[in-house]
Amino acid sequence: MPEIFTPDLENPHELIGGSIDRNNSEEIVGITRWDAQGYGCVPSRVYYKPNGEPVATYTFATDGADAFPERGTGYSTRAGGTWTPNAARIESVRTGFPSASILGNGTEVAVSHGTFVTPFVLRFMRRAAGATSWTETNLPMPAGQGCLWPHLVTSGNNIHIIAITTPTGNGGTAYEGINGHILYWRSTDGGLTWDKQFEKIPGLDNTKYTAHGADEYAIDVNGNTIAVAAFPAWNDLQVFKSFDNGDTWETILVNDFPDAIENYAGADGDSYTIDDIGGADPNAPDSLAVFSSDGSGNLLIDASGEVHVFFGEMYYADTDPAAGSSFYPGINGLLHWKESFGSDNFQLIGAALDYDGDGFLGVSGLNEIAPYYMSLASMPSSGAAADGAIYVGYAALHELYRGSNTDQQFFRHVYLVKSTDNGESWGDPLDLIAAPYISDTVLIPFVENVYPMLPRHIGSNVGLVYQQDYEPGIRLLGPTAAGNHPHVDNNLLWVEVDPSEIPGTSSVFTPTANPTLDLTLTPNPASSQTLLTATLSGMGDVMVEVFDMMGKRVYQNNMPSVEGRQQLALPVQQWVNGAYWVRLTEGDHFGITKLVVAK
């Protein structure tokens, strides 16, 4: 299982490659008041025209009423080096949550979900190269069913779309046993006809799943190879891969969720036992907590056809049968998986960073975390360059900067990470909310930056779009009916980064579990002191760390690197009552066990 604590990075603001002379940095692509660009996996929205001009699409809305009657697809091009946004949506009717791309012949295509009729429809837009207007049609829909949150990708003249049937919470009904069924559409003639219409992907059906949430799925294509990933909280994380342009599919397991609680509902009265989950996870924040994704993920098919998956890690639990299930907002980590790793094997490639160097994030309460309902590091978006390098953008909490709202929630920044060896190793995260990537550095402590969106195919520079406003969180999600903050203008910003500025070698600590360390604590629970005992190999430096349940490090000490059974006394008398994790690291291996302090 992955390591869950914050990696310490040296000089996180350091620029690789020396000083940079730019006349400009971030550029405004467009403005919206609909500030949820996705509820999980943000789909394809940024691409390049054949002449090299970037295009950005996004959910557009300008009024401040919750109804947002003019909501639709915002569209902006950078013709002649200057972004020119549309003054209105590209559709003639109210839609939302677009996905867009370009065909091999330069035809631009987009899809969004339309709420102007019920059942809801998927609105497909198409504009030939050189044309000035879009044609609009509705995709074929299952009888009596609406669909929402479409994701679109293209390859040559092929278009592939996935979306879910309208969940019951949005006024829909279950479809063939699934509340929110992921379905698939294909066009091989650029969107003129659809030879696959609302098809079920084998395995991604009621033989495995009972529900899917908004945007909890992703799709990518490379030639005739297609991959779809599903990111449910209470089920396996799986990839469905086709080598023949969507005619047949195979299933690949990424994270094996405990079989006994797959599709767990978490309703009042439900419960499960430690045996149901196969024993306690030593990395988990509670004995009944179960590892999964946070529902925000992304996938990419590399030049060799291998699938890469990126997601925010999360733990879920139902520790009280009288209440519903829970998640842990303080979990911090962006994970990477690829097919050659096999199931249940992940790399930590990004996180919320330890800027002040004190060994932990300065988050003292859950109210300080804006309610995105994701990991502290999440919202991944990825792209590949012609030289094979893979780039991932993500958003993460920044421990030094807080908003002015009641709870003084922490702002988030946008980061880039790079791999030059096909995902075997990754460089340190590069913070883009820093000089020279923003023009007014005075604003750095006062802006919220989320939803990075990279083009699938990276150009000579790494360009991306992200969303920015001046309060943590988003208006549309929050603990009250008013959401997290009032409606405000959100800028969609474009920034370009020279690839040489993004670190290409990894220093992120990604240890592998070593059960032979055989950690014990005596006594446990402890009131004044406990004796840690471990079996060491004598092959590397040894460090002992103690973390509270929020990931704050409360103790650190070194042990002699001596082979055999070794001991260290831990003074617990100054720690508050409660549960802690004790981690011993020897070289690139670690062991972890739980300690209870009761005085």
Side-chain angles (χ1 to χ4, degrees), residues 185-255:
W185 289 255
R186 182 184 74 179
S187 173
T188 59
D189 58 10
L192 299 176
T193 61
W194 299 89
D195 66 333
K196 291 189 179 293
Q197 304 177 4
F198 50 87
E199 288 201 353
K200 295 176 293 183
I201 294 175
L204 191 52
D205 51 30
N206 60 18
T207 62
K208 180 71 173 180
Y209 301 98
T210 61
H212 292 286
D215 282 328
E216 291 183 353
Y217 41 85
I219 185 171
D220 190 35
V221 62
N222 192 345
N224 285 328
T225 303
I226 312 165
V228 172
F231 298 88
W234 293 87
N235 214 317
D236 293 344
L237 196 171
Q238 296 189 117
V239 165
F240 303 87
K241 187 174 184 181
S242 173
F243 295 95
D244 53 14
N245 206 38
D247 287 332
T248 61
W249 299 83
E250 66 176 38
T251 302
I252 304 170
L253 181 62
V254 179
N255 177 53

Side-chain angles (χ1 to χ4, degrees), residues 222-345:
N222 192 345
N224 285 328
T225 303
I226 312 165
V228 172
F231 298 88
W234 293 87
N235 214 317
D236 293 344
L237 196 171
Q238 296 189 117
V239 165
F240 303 87
K241 187 174 184 181
S242 173
F243 295 95
D244 53 14
N245 206 38
D247 287 332
T248 61
W249 299 83
E250 66 176 38
T251 302
I252 304 170
L253 181 62
V254 179
N255 177 53
D256 189 5
F257 198 79
D259 293 345
I261 56 169
E262 287 183 357
N263 297 309
Y264 184 77
D268 290 358
D270 289 347
S271 64
Y272 57 86
T273 68
I274 195 73
D275 291 335
D276 290 331
I277 63 174
D281 177 350
N283 292 327
D286 187 275
S287 61
L288 286 176
V290 188
F291 172 81
S292 189
S293 79
D294 68 350
S296 178
N298 183 260
L299 85 163
L300 179 108
I301 304 171
D302 66 25
S304 70
E306 186 173 20
V307 176
H308 299 254
V309 174
F310 310 94
F311 63 95
E313 66 171 306
M314 185 50 64
Y315 280 86
Y316 300 89
D318 188 354
T319 58
D320 182 0
S325 61
S326 303
F327 76 105
Y328 294 86
I331 297 298
N332 176 30
L334 184 77
L335 303 180
H336 164 243
W337 170 93
K338 64 175 184 173
E339 288 181 74
S340 59
F341 288 173
S343 62
D344 302 317
N345 191 11

Side-chain angles (χ1 to χ4, degrees), residues 6 329-332 352-354 356 358 360-370 376 396-402 407-412 548-553:
T6 309
I331 297 298
N332 176 30
L353 305 181
D354 178 26
D356 59 14
D358 63 358
F360 60 90
L361 295 180
V363 182
S364 59
L366 298 183
N367 289 340
E368 298 174 350
I369 302 172
L376 296 185
L397 178 143
H398 195 296
E399 70 168 351
L400 299 185
Y401 306 135
R402 294 175 181 246
D407 294 317
Q408 292 192 305
Q409 294 167 332
F410 288 88
F411 285 113
R412 297 195 180 213
D548 66 15
M549 288 296 108
M550 285 296 295
K552 176 181 178 180
R553 186 165 59 194

Side-chain angles (χ1 to χ4, degrees), residues 35 332 351-353 355 361-363 365-372 375-379 394-415 431 433 438 441-451 466-474 484-485 488-490:
D35 60 355
N332 176 30
L353 305 181
Y355 279 89
L361 295 180
V363 182
L366 298 183
N367 289 340
E368 298 174 350
I369 302 172
Y372 289 100
S375 164
L376 296 185
S378 196
M379 306 180 191
Y394 72 95
L397 178 143
H398 195 296
E399 70 168 351
L400 299 185
Y401 306 135
R402 294 175 181 246
S404 61
N405 53 11
T406 302
D407 294 317
Q408 292 192 305
Q409 294 167 332
F410 288 88
F411 285 113
R412 297 195 180 213
H413 278 199
V414 167
Y415 301 84
D431 188 350
I433 314 305
I438 70 169
T441 56
V442 174
L443 292 178
I444 290 175
F446 308 110
V447 287
E448 176 82 333
N449 311 274
V450 288
Y451 301 120
Y466 63 93
Q467 180 177 281
Q468 181 184 92
D469 69 0
Y470 300 95
E471 286 291 350
I474 54 179
N484 198 60
H485 59 65
V488 295
D489 285 347
N490 287 254

Side-chain angles (χ1 to χ4, degrees), residues 413-446:
H413 278 199
V414 167
Y415 301 84
L416 278 174
V417 291
K418 176 176 73 175
S419 175
T420 57
D421 55 10
N422 204 43
E424 291 296 323
S425 63
W426 295 82
D428 295 341
L430 177 68
D431 188 350
L432 298 184
I433 314 305
Y437 307 113
I438 70 169
S439 54
D440 190 351
T441 56
V442 174
L443 292 178
I444 290 175
F446 308 110

